[in-house]
Amino acid sequence: MLDFIINDILREPAIFLGLIAFVGLLIQKKEFTDIISGTVKTIVGVVILDAGVGILVGSILPLAGAFGVVYEMPAEYSFAPEAMTYGMDTFLSTYGTQIGIVMLSAFLLNLVIARFTKWKNVFLTGHMLFWFPVVFLAVGINAGMSGNAVLIFAGIGTTLYMVVSMALIQPLVKKVTGSDSFTLGHPTVGLSLIAAYVGKLAGDTSKSTEDLKFPKQFEFLREITITSTLVILIAYVTIVIILTIQGHSAAEVLGAGNNVFMNVFMQSITFGAGLTIMLQGVRMMLAEIVPAFKGISDKVIPNAIPGLDCPLIFPYAPNAVIIGFIVSMVTSTLTLIIIGTTGAFSFVILPLIITCFFEIGTGAVFANATGGLRGAIIGSAVAGIAMMIFMGLSLPFFSDTIADWMLIFGGNDFSILGVLGGFIARIFGG
Amino acid sequence: MSRKLKIITACGFGLGSSMLLKMKVEEVLKKHSIDAKVETSDVGSAPSAACDVIFTSYELGEKMKSQTETPIVMVRNFMDTDEIESAGLGVVKGLLE
């Protein structure tokens, strides 16, 4: 019986996360009906998340493959599914239970540290509490670790990252918001520090981004699901043109059938659909777990400073966010082209729309505080270049696990941790 | 008065900030003993979602205004329950009457 529970029920990731939600709902003393619906919703969310990731990644892999052809890279460097052991969707459905264990233990360790040391920050950005364990587990498993070793590696890695990153970014949050009421719990820290530091060196605080009267036409960019769909479409169309100029058959390279343009158009729409489905899955999966975590934190450490999602900083300089996004999109795309043509990195890299918006948009808010409008522009420009370099350096550490997903969401602290964690994991993984 | 309201909190991705806003809105509702269901959503989906009122930021609220008939409450600081209370409580109470 016990054997059945441990080996069959708890090995099923969806059930394990459902169980965490179930306990969370019990702790919150919810009514019977809420407990049942919350638990089932969490389980459904995990399944939706996995399906969404599959659709999302599937829609960009032909693009990655085409980049590989254009830059004459071997097939395994463009993350063809058959060349990878896992891919993110398989990784999630294989290691979901481990992800749940690491997530829970890293959060509890964070609480212990906040309770007994001077670092009072508690990481409460729900989806990031999920993705950091994924990244650390992927790095460890990619390096050949397994079993308890990889759990310990990911648990300690996630905890250390959370404590250090929240402390590192807190002075900047204070500078922008004028208070110590929160810090960020988000993989923007590396890029934000770069943007803020460069902004300080190169900037001029006499003119702020918020002095600008920003044209309303740019407001649509804030709907990032749509913006990223459009950028992916532009990338597809560009690659079709380049393939054709180079004398390849775009239809053949992309596996597109007769009408290449309709095919890439639908691939881009599928990207938007996959992203929306993935987000809905994450939302359902965490709807009950995050309030439970917050409830525990409030009880155990009443004076904790929460580490929260980066858009909380956006209202302090909404123009800076858009400027950071546009500037870093430009510099990172130029970097992408230079990297591709010089062969500096041996792996395919794609435009990183989401990272440019959330991570560097946040960085631009900080850079505006340290160096005004000029600081925001130069800081984001440099952060855009750094993002691509981080991305290129980190991909080898995810090549067998979640590189396909990193192509969309990396370039931020996930990538920095990929490199740092990867070196450490290789020592232990043999 | 017995009708249960459905409230949506929205942010760019509908994951982190909206979740925080949801918890803060729930705090305010609890304080005033208002029974409502609060869910999170993203800026693209929220305007078409079936709900009684949407809570979001100024930037996203301005964007959504033209896309929906649902009343939108805009909040500058998602952490500030006082601001949420002064901006939103009147709207919520109005819906219950």
Side-chain angles (χ1 to χ4, degrees):
Chain A
M1 181 64 195
L2 192 67
D3 201 48
F4 172 72
I5 291 174
I6 292 171
N7 285 325
D8 290 290
I9 298 183
L10 294 184
R11 284 265 165 85
E12 185 55 58
I15 303 291
F16 185 78
L17 286 157
L19 201 68
I20 297 180
F22 177 75
V23 175
L25 287 157
L26 284 181
I27 294 173
Q28 293 177 82
K29 301 198 184 81
K30 292 274 185 172
E31 287 168 27
F32 177 76
T33 161
D34 292 334
I35 294 176
I36 299 297
S37 91
T39 307
V40 174
K41 266 192 197 167
T42 305
I43 297 171
V44 172
V46 178
V47 176
I48 294 177
L49 162 66
D50 201 27
V53 168
I55 296 170
L56 179 67
V57 167
S59 74
I60 59 128
L61 287 177
L63 184 62
F67 264 82
V69 170
V70 167
Y71 292 130
E72 293 167 357
M73 291 171 180
E76 63 264 35
Y77 291 166
S78 47
F79 310 112
E82 58 275 14
M84 292 178 75
T85 313
Y86 296 101
M88 184 55 121
D89 58 342
T90 321
F91 189 82
L92 289 180
S93 52
T94 311
Y95 289 103
T97 303
Q98 281 85 343
I99 296 165
I101 293 170
V102 173
M103 182 172 144
L104 196 60
S105 44
F107 177 71
L108 294 176
L109 276 173
N110 183 192
L111 287 186
V112 171
I113 291 169
R115 180 75 183 74
F116 295 109
T117 73
K118 67 183 173 98
W119 293 288
K120 293 292 170 204
N121 300 323
V122 175
F123 198 102
L124 279 176
T125 311
H127 54 298
M128 292 303 166
L129 268 169
F130 180 81
W131 294 122
F132 279 109
V134 172
V135 166
F136 275 105
L137 283 167
V139 167
I141 287 159
N142 211 93
M145 295 176 90
S146 61
N148 289 333
V150 76
L151 281 180
I152 294 167
F153 167 76
I156 293 176
T158 306
T159 313
L160 273 180
Y161 170 78
M162 294 193 307
V163 173
V164 171
S165 71
M166 288 188 294
L168 280 178
I169 203 72
Q170 197 169 3
L172 282 171
V173 177
K174 189 173 180 180
K175 190 171 172 62
V176 169
T177 65
S179 88
D180 258 334
S181 62
F182 72 97
T183 180
L184 295 185
H186 196 276
T188 180
V189 173
L191 292 171
S192 275
L193 290 176
I194 290 172
Y197 188 68
V198 171
K200 189 176 182 176
L201 285 183
D204 164 20
T205 45
S206 65
K207 191 172 181 198
S208 159
T209 53
E210 307 313 299
D211 297 336
L212 290 182
K213 257 311 219 190
F214 222 64
K216 272 233 177 297
Q217 284 89 321
F218 285 110
E219 287 294 307
F220 79 94
L221 291 173
R222 292 189 196 277
E223 203 164 329
I224 197 65
T225 315
I226 306 303
T227 312
S228 44
T229 305
L230 293 176
V231 176
I232 292 294
L233 177 63
I234 295 169
Y236 260 115
V237 171
T238 312
I239 209 80
V240 167
I241 294 168
I242 297 174
L243 282 170
T244 312
I245 292 172
Q246 286 192 345
H248 296 287
S249 158
E252 206 174 287
V253 172
L254 295 167
N258 291 332
N259 192 328
V260 178
F261 277 96
M262 265 329 280
N263 178 279
V264 297
F265 180 73
M266 284 316 291
Q267 288 285 18
S268 319
I269 297 295
T270 307
F271 177 89
L275 183 58
T276 308
I277 296 169
M278 185 195 96
L279 294 174
Q280 179 63 23
V282 177
R283 204 173 294 145
M284 287 177 72
M285 171 178 77
L286 296 172
E288 309 301 339
I289 295 177
V290 176
F293 277 19
K294 180 170 183 298
I296 298 169
S297 163
D298 287 349
K299 245 181 223 139
V300 185
I301 310 145
N303 60 342
I305 296 170
L308 304 172
D309 201 8
C310 66
L312 280 166
I313 212 94
F314 289 179
Y316 294 92
N319 288 347
V321 178
I322 300 288
I323 291 170
F325 172 66
I326 295 172
V327 170
S328 62
M329 256 340 277
V330 172
T331 60
S332 63
T333 307
L334 290 175
T335 312
L336 171 72
I337 295 167
I338 294 168
I339 287 176
T341 39
T342 59
F345 294 128
S346 50
F347 286 88
V348 162
I349 309 174
L350 301 179
L352 289 163
I353 313 109
I354 295 163
T355 312
C356 283
F357 184 81
F358 286 102
E359 275 82 351
I360 301 183
T362 306
V365 175
F366 293 134
N368 178 50
T370 57
L373 173 63
R374 197 166 78 200
I377 292 173
I378 300 174
S380 321
V382 175
I385 298 168
M387 171 184 77
M388 281 305 179
I389 295 172
F390 293 156
M391 186 69 191
L393 290 175
S394 70
L395 282 172
F397 297 99
F398 297 105
S399 58
D400 246 353
T401 46
I402 60 165
D404 51 352
W405 183 86
M406 286 294 293
L407 283 178
I408 307 172
F409 295 98
N412 46 14
D413 292 353
F414 293 157
S415 283
I416 299 175
L417 294 171
V419 177
L420 291 179
F423 276 117
I424 297 168
R426 280 181 186 181
I427 296 169
F428 292 108
Chain B
M1 279 297 284
S2 64
R3 191 167 74 96
K4 188 163 179 167
L5 285 180
K6 187 173 168 197
I7 297 172
I8 281 182
T9 57
C11 67
F13 259 3
L15 296 180
S17 327
S18 55
M19 174 55 94
L20 181 83
L21 185 58
K22 168 188 139 95
M23 294 188 285
K24 292 289 172 186
V25 168
E26 280 171 342
E27 258 178 51
V28 172
L29 294 172
K30 198 174 169 194
K31 185 174 150 198
H32 293 272
S33 318
I34 298 168
D35 188 23
K37 187 152 190 60
V38 190
E39 280 180 5
T40 56
S41 185
D42 64 280
V43 55
S45 317
S48 56
C51 69
D52 297 294
V53 54
I54 300 170
F55 280 68
T56 190
S57 68
Y58 274 81
E59 293 82 46
L60 300 181
E62 290 295 336
K63 244 196 77 50
M64 280 189 266
K65 248 190 200 165
S66 58
Q67 302 167 348
T68 180
E69 301 278 299
T70 313
I72 297 175
V73 176
M74 293 183 253
V75 179
R76 199 162 296 282
N77 181 356
F78 283 14
M79 296 281 290
D80 185 353
T81 42
D82 294 334
E83 188 193 346
I84 294 168
E85 194 169 335
S86 63
L89 190 63
V91 180
V92 171
K93 279 192 166 161
L95 287 166
L96 285 167
E97 274 160 11

